[in-house]
Amino acid sequence: MISRYTYGSCIETGAVPEKPEIEAGALPFFVVDEEQMTLTYRMAEHDRVYGLGENLRGINKRGWIYESKCTDDPNHMEEKRSLYAAHNFFVVDGSETFGVFVDYPGIVSFDIGYTKMEELKIQASDWNLDVYVITGMDVKDIVKQFRKMIGRSYIPPLWAFGYGQSRWGYRSEDDVREVVKAYRDLQIPLDSVYLDIDYMERYKDFTLNQETFPDFPDFVEEMKKENIHLVPIIDAGVKEEKGYPVYEEGIEKGYFCKKEDGTPFVAAVWPGRALFPDMLNTEARNWFGDQYRFLLDQGIEGFWNDMNEPSIFYTEDSLKAVMEKIDTYKGKNLDLDSFSEFQGLVGGLSNNPEDYKAFYHDMDGVRVRHDRVHNLFGYNMTKAAGEAFERLEPDKRILMFSRSSYIGMHRYGGIWQGDNKSWWFHLLLNIKMMPSLNMCGFLYTGADLGGFGADTTEELLMRWLEFGIFTPLMRNHSAAGTREQEVYRFGNTAGFRHVIGLRYRLIPYLYSEYMKAALRGEMMFRPLAFDYPDDKYAAQVEDQLLLGNELMLAPVYEQNARGRYVYLPETMKMVRFKEDGTMETEIRPAGHQYIDVELTDVVFFMRPDTLIPLAKPAQCTQDIDFEHLELLKFVQNEMASYEYYHDDGYSKDYENPEHLSLLFSTTEE
Ligand code: GLC
């Protein structure tokens, strides 16, 4: 059951398409303090808290404070409270079990046992919020009700389940050709190459660098013949430049965010001075969405939206103030305090909270200061694109994922998990984030495999890919200045070919699981505790996941490890794919145990009486033979079956019952 409680007058976020009636009674479970603007729940000793989507720390979120404040911060360290998104849905599971969604577009904090170990305190920045409380049979049921309420998750084209290679930056057509050639020559499967900011003319959205990408439509076509999709990036900030049509038109029509005095708000991002389209204004949003046509018309079928928290390097006003202040330090003897202040001046320019108070949106006639709706910006940039694709390419699925997001955006696109680093603990973070994102509707997601910032290693990349082959978005991406990270830069080509090759064999299954999860509002990835609620050990497991109803994953995420401890909540079949092309299986009893996992082994566990379809190896999604599938089986009782979803991966009659069939088997062999 879902009950909605409203405080003050809420700004419409669009997260819940059809809102339930407002409840008259008191908010259950919480003590409400209107003055402090807090909701407080007293947790029992063993209560666990799941959710909050894209966030740091554990699957069980208890023990830290999280802040929904979309932030461009590439240092995803334990002490941080925010990443790029605001996903205000969580479930308390314990002496009471209930879900809460705080539909509120401003900054809100979730103190889950940080200030006081037994207290869960939600604090909003102003008192205008919609709070939904959801009760149900168990955590899965609560999540399912919530997902139904927020609407169906975005569905990408099938090719977006293939492996993608990205790097900031491939600078020219030839750079991209080289990548594709290396993959094809080595027979390592590949479906897409991402174009980072260097494909544009001086970082101007919806332009092309004519020198380095001189015949773009031909180039797109050439790549398509190789079964490669090019996926360009689009940034939130539009360059301020006379004669640049997007800028000129935006100014003329008044589509950019404005300062209090009504003049356009200018902030600096990649192109230097830039303006933010008012994504919260319907007309401006439609206009921005229409700009994607420039690339769609040249054959592009996928995009990633970036810097849309929105990220601000500096504003003219703040830069001027800092320059003036720095002048006052000249010739001074700087002591501890003055030196740290001095150091903070330049560092404090980026993403400064004061700048987010300096501009306004015109929400279809209502002027709202940005900080009050900060968390809706990236969401609406992606909505702009998603709605435009419906208008411009109504029969096609277009790949779209964003860096920043809010619940509601999951209907228009996926997300990647931002600028992680080539750190082992970020591989673990990637694992932990999958279920919490699924809870909030974000199914099409994955992290920059191998790590974005910092130098990767062959071993880290291999292990990360061994997990990444299961995530819907499977993309290797790295930052400018870091070690080159395409798999062919490393020694063990056969190992990478084997691991990535397995992804392609699994695509019929992964795609089927994705589609069922999207269409039914279910989670593709779940913590063990969700399926084994009475198992006290399962509740403790933070580094294994369930995938669909069939698999349990137990990735290796530590340097030099050649195995790991695994907890099996029941008897399972361990399946091991080895680099030499062989597959080994072994029935393992329930309980704690150690398993060996050599560097290029891919190991997963099948639950009893399950089947999974496996395709023959393929070099790209286009070549996958969906007609002749093999079945991996673990038949313990009389029969095992698998509900298999398959369509053309491109058109949109998702609900057609013909896409579903039942595969079954009565024997192990
Ligand atoms: C941001 C993005 C990253 C991209 C870079 C350059 O940091 O998160 O993925 O490579 O910008 O565009």
Side-chain angles (χ1 to χ4, degrees):
M1 193 178 84
I2 305 188
S3 313
R4 171 179 167 219
Y5 301 83
T6 294
Y7 303 96
S9 74
C10 303
I11 292 175
E12 179 56 59
T13 66
V16 180
E18 280 169 47
K19 295 183 178 170
E21 288 300 310
I22 299 171
E23 295 284 332
L27 183 74
F29 304 114
F30 290 88
V31 174
V32 180
D33 184 334
E34 303 219 1
E35 218 150 88
Q36 298 294 317
M37 299 188 287
T38 56
L39 310 173
T40 308
Y41 175 69
R42 202 183 156 78
M43 295 182 285
E45 196 186 340
H46 295 295
D47 283 359
R48 293 179 305 275
V49 180
Y50 299 107
L52 295 183
E54 184 178 270
N55 247 309
L56 292 146
R57 303 226 173 193
I59 287 180
N60 180 356
K61 288 275 167 280
R62 195 166 172 167
W64 187 239
I65 177 166
Y66 309 86
E67 209 169 45
S68 282
K69 180 173 73 171
C70 300
T71 308
D72 173 16
D73 178 349
N75 294 309
H76 308 171
M77 308 285 284
E78 260 197 33
E79 85 255 24
K80 297 295 165 72
R81 298 177 178 191
S82 315
L83 290 172
Y84 308 85
H87 299 155
N88 303 340
F89 171 63
F90 64 87
V91 177
V92 175
D93 185 24
S95 63
E96 300 275 7
T97 297
F98 59 94
V100 177
F101 173 46
V102 181
D103 192 9
Y104 174 73
I107 293 156
V108 52
S109 71
F110 298 88
D111 179 341
I112 311 182
Y114 166 75
T115 305
K116 289 190 189 156
M117 277 188 81
E118 67 290 349
E119 218 172 70
L120 188 166
K121 195 184 284 262
I122 303 168
Q123 183 160 39
S125 324
D126 62 57
W127 199 239
N128 299 295
L129 50 157
D130 254 336
V131 182
Y132 296 82
V133 175
I134 308 163
T135 50
M137 272 154 11
D138 54 21
V139 186
K140 282 206 284 193
D141 176 45
I142 290 168
V143 173
K144 195 165 174 164
Q145 291 183 55
F146 174 65
R147 292 273 304 280
K148 181 155 191 260
M149 178 175 82
I150 58 173
R152 198 193 68 215
S153 298
Y154 162 76
I155 295 178
L158 175 69
W159 63 263
F161 288 81
Y163 172 59
Q165 180 64 61
S166 185
R167 178 164 175 90
W168 173 23
Y170 300 136
R171 296 191 161 269
S172 64
E173 291 182 355
D174 280 344
D175 278 4
V176 176
R177 284 192 186 102
E178 200 183 303
V179 173
V180 174
K181 184 168 181 329
Y183 273 96
R184 292 288 183 248
D185 284 354
L186 295 170
Q187 298 205 314
I188 302 173
L190 186 71
D191 261 83
S192 51
V193 176
Y194 287 74
L195 301 180
D196 208 316
I197 48 177
D198 298 298
Y199 79 88
M200 300 180 216
E201 181 198 323
R202 284 174 296 119
Y203 312 133
K204 291 189 292 188
D205 278 340
F206 313 112
T207 67
L208 289 159
N209 184 330
Q210 294 299 336
E211 273 164 36
T212 51
F213 290 87
D215 307 302
F216 198 64
D218 290 349
F219 181 55
V220 175
E221 201 41 47
E222 175 192 326
M223 287 294 119
K224 273 196 192 155
K225 288 204 179 106
E226 294 269 2
N227 290 315
I228 296 293
H229 287 83
L230 297 176
V231 187
I233 195 168
I234 303 293
D235 284 312
V238 169
K239 185 172 171 63
E240 179 192 71
E241 187 181 273
K242 286 248 163 313
Y244 164 39
V246 185
Y247 166 74
E248 294 281 3
E249 196 181 335
I251 287 286
E252 189 199 314
K253 305 244 168 82
Y255 287 154
F256 295 117
C257 292
K258 299 187 182 65
K259 295 203 283 194
E260 196 169 10
D261 64 7
T263 58
F265 173 75
V266 182
V269 210
W270 302 123
R273 285 188 208 140
L275 293 89
F276 296 128
D278 190 350
M279 305 294 182
L280 275 55
N281 176 277
T282 306
E283 238 183 84
R285 189 169 58 240
N286 288 341
W287 166 76
F288 189 78
D290 283 340
Q291 307 304 315
Y292 287 80
R293 181 198 287 269
F294 172 75
L295 289 157
L296 291 172
D297 284 351
Q298 306 193 53
I300 291 297
E301 295 175 311
F303 301 87
W304 43 313
N305 277 350
D306 192 25
M307 306 298 273
N308 50 5
E309 294 67 34
S311 178
I312 295 179
F313 293 173
Y314 62 87
T315 59
E316 279 295 284
D317 296 345
S318 58
L319 186 64
K320 189 160 162 270
V322 164
M323 293 293 195
E324 280 166 10
K325 182 87 185 150
I326 286 178
D327 265 350
T328 67
Y329 287 88
K330 277 191 185 145
K332 288 239 175 87
N333 174 7
L334 302 184
D335 64 6
L336 172 63
D337 293 341
S338 48
F339 184 66
S340 358
E341 194 187 53
F342 172 76
Q343 275 191 314
L345 283 173
V346 176
L349 275 173
S350 299
N351 307 321
N352 190 316
E354 289 309 308
D355 289 334
Y356 292 116
K357 293 182 187 155
F359 64 102
Y360 292 79
H361 296 275
D362 169 5
M363 290 183 76
D364 298 340
V366 183
R367 203 170 82 130
V368 184
R369 201 171 76 181
H370 174 80
D371 59 320
R372 292 194 57 209
V373 287
H374 175 70
N375 292 333
L376 300 182
F377 192 87
Y379 161 17
N380 279 279
M381 177 185 181
T382 298
K383 181 173 172 184
E387 288 179 341
F389 301 155
E390 287 296 327
R391 290 195 299 276
L392 304 171
E393 296 278 11
D395 301 325
K396 235 190 210 179
R397 298 186 210 171
I398 303 289
L399 170 62
M400 162 50 61
F401 59 91
S402 168
R403 192 169 71 180
S404 185
S405 60
Y406 182 86
I407 290 173
M409 201 208 85
H410 69 287
R411 301 193 296 270
Y412 303 96
I415 52 173
W416 89 99
Q417 294 164 17
D419 295 347
N420 62 4
K421 289 214 162 54
S422 298
W423 292 340
W424 287 92
F425 103 88
H426 278 183
L427 162 53
L428 180 58
L429 190 62
N430 180 192
I431 298 166
K432 289 179 195 231
M433 245 192 265
M434 294 306 289
S436 55
L437 286 170
N438 279 195
M439 286 174 72
C440 297
F442 293 92
L443 296 182
Y444 191 76
T445 184
D448 286 349
L449 302 174
F452 174 72
D455 292 334
T456 201
T457 64
E458 179 165 349
E459 184 184 0
L460 175 59
L461 180 59
M462 190 73 81
R463 290 303 195 193
W464 213 322
L465 285 165
E466 285 166 17
F467 175 64
I469 62 170
F470 297 100
T471 62
L473 168 63
M474 182 193 178
R475 179 180 78 147
N476 173 343
H477 180 46
S478 56
T482 61
R483 181 179 188 178
E484 290 176 312
Q485 199 169 285
E486 296 80 11
V487 297
Y488 54 81
R489 309 278 180 193
F490 301 93
N492 193 353
T493 305
F496 286 113
R497 182 187 301 124
H498 150 71
V499 173
I500 298 170
L502 191 55
R503 159 66 164 215
Y504 282 74
R505 301 197 64 198
L506 286 165
I507 281 178
Y509 172 67
L510 295 171
Y511 180 73
S512 167
E513 284 309 303
Y514 186 94
M515 293 303 289
K516 288 188 291 177
L519 297 172
R520 297 170 183 174
E522 284 168 357
M523 294 170 68
M524 187 169 164
F525 293 90
R526 295 179 307 283
L528 268 50
F530 283 26
D531 284 36
Y532 301 96
D534 301 325
D535 181 325
K536 70 171 183 170
Y537 293 118
Q540 303 299 314
V541 178
E542 289 262 337
D543 59 357
Q544 298 172 209
L545 296 176
L546 297 169
L547 164 50
N549 291 324
E550 291 73 27
L551 300 191
M552 184 180 79
L553 308 178
V556 173
Y557 55 88
E558 282 181 338
Q559 178 169 309
N560 295 319
R562 292 296 179 265
R564 55 162 289 170
Y565 287 94
V566 176
Y567 176 65
L568 271 62
E570 61 182 320
T571 303
M572 292 188 184
K573 182 189 252 187
M574 182 168 77
V575 182
R576 178 189 306 277
F577 287 90
K578 297 185 70 68
E579 192 188 313
D580 64 9
T582 58
M583 184 189 79
E584 290 168 1
T585 61
E586 188 188 335
I587 313 264
R588 289 276 192 151
H592 292 95
Q593 44 203 285
Y594 186 85
I595 56 158
D596 294 319
V597 188
E598 285 304 325
L599 183 56
T600 57
D601 283 0
V602 178
V603 172
F604 56 73
F605 296 83
M606 291 179 75
R607 295 168 75 177
D609 297 316
T610 58
L611 305 174
I612 66 166
L614 261 194
K616 296 199 177 68
Q619 287 296 303
C620 56
T621 47
Q622 176 77 28
D623 288 352
I624 295 176
D625 178 358
F626 285 91
E627 296 304 312
H628 301 96
L629 301 172
E630 194 185 302
L631 288 179
L632 270 184
K633 306 173 185 181
F634 182 26
V635 189
Q636 273 223 309
N637 294 310
E638 278 162 23
M639 195 183 81
S641 62
Y642 177 67
E643 202 183 2
Y644 176 54
Y645 185 102
H646 176 61
D647 62 9
D648 66 4
Y650 217 57
S651 46
K652 293 183 174 169
D653 65 334
Y654 309 121
E655 307 275 357
N656 186 337
E658 283 179 14
H659 300 330
L660 274 174
S661 57
L662 204 62
L663 311 177
F664 57 89
S665 178
T666 48
T667 56
E668 267 294 285
E669 292 319 314

